[in-house]
């Protein structure tokens, strides 16, 4: 497979090379706390916990998938070993030579982190948001890790659900360590000597980019602080999620987000979808987001057709272009026609032709693949659960 990997890397490099420079500020503009206060009235109700403690960030960065202890210093209830009713503690103690005056063996819990204050904040937020939430951090939600939950969704009604999703996600790992990868530094556009310095705008929007000399300065390795966002859970229909692409202030493209599935009712709604999203963009977003080129995600309530803003993403190759190619999006212009192009999966055959499922490359960590060793799904699930249990003991 080296040739295939080399070919994919080459294609990715070509795509990235055709993009205008992506500034640090453009990434920061898409961070949740940067845009949510301005757009909260048209977005999902959310609570932000910020800043996250550094020891929690260390936990997320640590190797392996394991849960911290609960706020009482005990293993998370969902992953405690069941008590065997036939187990005789006293006889076992005698067999092991443990008697009065002997020290109890170490249970190993002191090496497992726990975050009582953060856990209480999460519990309070879950309660305030109706008993169920879905999590994200500064930029990403752990969508790639939904497979690890019992419901295969991001729905969390306990602290352990939140921790497990965050710990299992490659998207979250990217937020932690690679958020500003392939960016260029920002130009300082503050006033100097009482005069405002001239600004240089990149081809992708209003963000100032560095000159060649300034390109040599160090990029930030991470944001100043990390945040945990808990958003109220709604049973949103994947069929009604859409990704929208804006270039130079013009909404040019709209893609079905769940592009791996065909929904027979959706093609007939294409014109209505275009109209509602275009009106939403013109009334609620246009001119209010700091960049001129960006990507935003929306959800359309199927019953009342109300449009809700879900997220913002940078206009960059790190954002999935879904049913479009980035070459198409980079070359697209309005040409005086403000009508956005809508792409929807038109048949089951088209959906089935997808090369891989959504987040297929993120779904199984390497240690989980090694653990599976070709066994059935049920056997793998049980083996994986035993590994998680062992990690918290």
């Amino acid at each position: 497979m080296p040739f295939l990997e080399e070919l994919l890397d080459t294609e990715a490099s070509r795509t990235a090379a055709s993009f205008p420079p992506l500034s640090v500020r453009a990434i920061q503009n898409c961070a949740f706390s940067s845009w949510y206060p301005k757009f909260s009235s048209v977005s999902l109700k959310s609570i932000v916990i910020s800043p996250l403690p550094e020891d929690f960030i260390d936990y997320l960065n640590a190797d392996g998938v394991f849960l911290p202890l609960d706020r009482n210093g005990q293993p998370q209830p969902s992953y405690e070993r069941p008590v065997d009713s036939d187990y005789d503690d006293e006889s076992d103690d005698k067999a092991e030579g443990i008697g009065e005056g002997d020290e109890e063996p170490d249970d190993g819990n002191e090496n497992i982190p726990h975050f009582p204050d953060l856990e209480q904040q999460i519990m309070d937020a879950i309660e305030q948001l109706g008993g169920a939430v879905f999590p994200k951090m500064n930029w990403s939600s752990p969508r790639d890790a939904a497979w690890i939950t019992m419901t295969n969704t991001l729905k969390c009604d306990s602290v352990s659900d939140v921790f497990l999703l965050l710990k299992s996600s490659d998207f979250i790992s990217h937020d932690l360590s690679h958020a500003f990868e392939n960016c260029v530094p920002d130009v300082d556009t503050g006033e100097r000597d009482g005069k405002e310095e001239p600004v240089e705008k990149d081809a992708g929007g209003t963000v100032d980019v560095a000159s060649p000399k300034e390109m040599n300065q160090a990029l930030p390795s991470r944001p100043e602080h990390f945040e945990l966002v808990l958003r109220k859970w709604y049973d949103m229909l994947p069929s009604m999620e859409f990704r929208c692409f804006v270039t130079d202030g013009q909404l040019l493209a709209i893609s079905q987000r769940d592009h791996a599935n065909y929904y027979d009712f959706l093609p007939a709604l294409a014109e209505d979808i275009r109209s509602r999203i275009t009106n939403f963009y013109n009334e609620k977003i246009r001119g209010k987001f700091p960049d001129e080129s960006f990507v935003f995600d929306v959800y359309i309530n199927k019953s009342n057709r109300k449009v809700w803003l879900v997220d913002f993403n940078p206009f960059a190759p790190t954002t999935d272009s879904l049913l479009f190619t980035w070459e198409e999006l980079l070359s697209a212009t309005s040409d005086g026609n403000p009508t956005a192009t809508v792409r929807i999966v038109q048949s089951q055959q088209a959906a089935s032709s997808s090369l891989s499922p959504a987040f297929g490359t993120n779904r199984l960590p390497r240690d989980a693949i090694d653990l599976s060793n070709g066994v059935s799904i049920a056997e793998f699930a049980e083996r994986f659960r035993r590994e998680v249990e062992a990690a918290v003991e």
Side-chain angles (χ1 to χ4, degrees):
M1 298 295 284
F3 172 76
L4 177 58
E5 292 174 357
E6 182 178 341
L7 179 62
L8 292 174
D9 288 342
T10 301
E11 289 301 313
S13 298
R14 287 175 181 170
T15 300
S18 61
F19 274 82
L22 179 66
S23 70
V24 170
R25 193 174 305 160
I27 297 296
Q28 292 172 330
N29 288 340
C30 292
F32 187 83
S33 288
S34 296
W35 63 262
Y36 183 72
K38 185 180 294 185
F39 297 99
S40 59
S41 64
V42 294
S43 191
L44 309 179
K45 187 176 181 181
S46 305
I47 293 175
V48 179
I49 299 174
S50 176
L52 289 173
E54 285 300 316
D55 55 349
F56 182 70
I57 303 304
D58 293 339
Y59 157 71
L60 292 179
N61 279 320
D63 290 339
V65 178
F66 61 96
L67 292 176
L69 303 177
D70 66 18
R71 57 180 177 159
N72 298 315
Q74 299 301 313
Q76 298 286 346
S78 298
Y79 291 90
E80 287 183 343
R81 287 188 184 275
V83 177
D84 187 345
S85 59
D86 296 329
Y87 193 82
D88 187 341
D89 290 327
E90 184 177 342
S91 62
D92 187 70
D93 287 349
K94 291 178 180 178
E96 295 290 337
I98 301 175
E100 292 186 10
D102 292 334
E103 283 190 16
E104 292 287 337
D106 181 22
D107 61 7
N109 284 352
E110 76 280 357
N111 295 321
I112 301 174
H114 67 117
F115 313 100
D117 294 339
L118 176 60
E119 181 169 344
Q120 186 62 56
Q121 289 177 285
I122 295 174
M123 291 171 61
D124 292 343
I126 291 175
E127 183 178 356
Q128 291 177 47
L129 293 172
V133 301
F134 67 96
K136 65 176 296 178
M137 291 190 65
N138 299 48
W139 295 276
S140 304
S141 65
R143 290 169 63 94
D144 59 315
W147 65 273
I148 204 169
T149 68
M150 297 298 291
T151 60
N152 285 327
T153 71
L154 299 185
K155 183 177 182 180
C156 299
D157 54 23
S158 70
V159 175
S160 60
D161 292 339
V162 174
F163 288 162
L164 182 62
L165 279 170
L166 297 179
K167 190 74 172 98
S168 306
S169 172
D170 287 344
F171 290 179
I172 298 301
S173 295
H174 182 273
D175 275 17
L176 296 176
S177 305
H178 304 285
F180 301 114
E181 203 168 64
N182 301 319
C183 288
V184 296
D186 299 315
V187 170
D188 180 7
T189 59
E191 293 187 357
R192 297 175 184 171
D193 299 325
K195 296 181 180 180
E196 184 175 346
E197 291 292 311
V199 296
E200 177 185 354
K201 294 182 180 181
D202 66 18
T206 62
V207 178
D208 306 309
V209 296
S211 65
K213 182 178 180 180
E214 290 166 318
M215 290 279 284
N216 294 324
Q217 73 184 61
L219 289 169
S221 60
R222 46 163 283 176
E224 184 176 345
H225 62 264
F226 290 102
E227 60 191 32
L228 173 61
V229 181
L230 299 174
R231 314 202 71 183
K232 183 177 176 65
W233 175 261
Y234 297 92
D235 289 317
M236 297 193 296
L237 302 173
S239 60
M240 301 306 288
E241 295 182 65
F242 301 93
R243 174 155 289 178
C244 312
F245 301 87
V246 175
T247 304
D248 295 330
Q250 293 291 326
L251 175 61
L252 294 182
I254 300 169
S255 173
Q256 175 182 330
R257 189 155 186 204
D258 184 17
H259 63 293
N261 288 293
Y262 168 62
Y263 301 96
D264 56 4
F265 66 90
L266 211 50
L269 298 178
E271 188 55 43
D272 183 64
I273 290 167
R274 185 201 331 267
S275 175
R276 291 183 182 278
I277 292 179
T278 300
N279 290 339
F280 178 80
Y281 170 70
N282 289 332
E283 295 173 7
K284 305 297 184 182
I285 297 179
R286 189 169 194 163
K288 299 177 182 177
F289 192 76
D291 298 322
E292 292 182 1
S293 296
F294 56 93
V295 180
F296 66 97
D297 295 331
V298 297
Y299 177 75
I300 301 179
N301 188 305
K302 192 177 179 182
S303 59
N304 61 18
R305 293 293 195 270
K306 184 173 181 178
V307 181
W308 293 93
L309 175 64
V310 177
D311 207 358
F312 283 101
N313 298 281
F315 193 87
T318 52
T319 300
D320 195 337
S321 59
L322 302 178
L323 292 174
F324 294 90
T325 66
W326 273 117
E327 287 76 9
E328 291 176 308
L329 294 168
L330 286 166
S331 61
T333 59
S334 62
D335 293 328
N337 181 7
T339 304
T341 300
V342 178
R343 285 195 181 166
I344 290 171
V345 177
Q346 296 293 322
S347 66
Q348 186 60 55
Q349 182 180 7
S352 301
S353 65
S354 176
L355 293 178
S356 61
F359 318 124
T361 58
N362 307 87
R363 187 161 295 174
L364 293 175
R366 171 54 55 188
D367 53 351
I369 294 175
D370 294 341
L371 183 63
S372 67
N373 196 29
V375 299
S376 69
I377 293 295
E379 292 171 318
F380 167 69
E382 177 57 29
R383 186 178 297 179
F384 186 78
R385 181 175 292 278
R386 288 199 301 269
E387 289 292 317
V388 174
E389 290 174 348
V392 298
E393 287 190 340

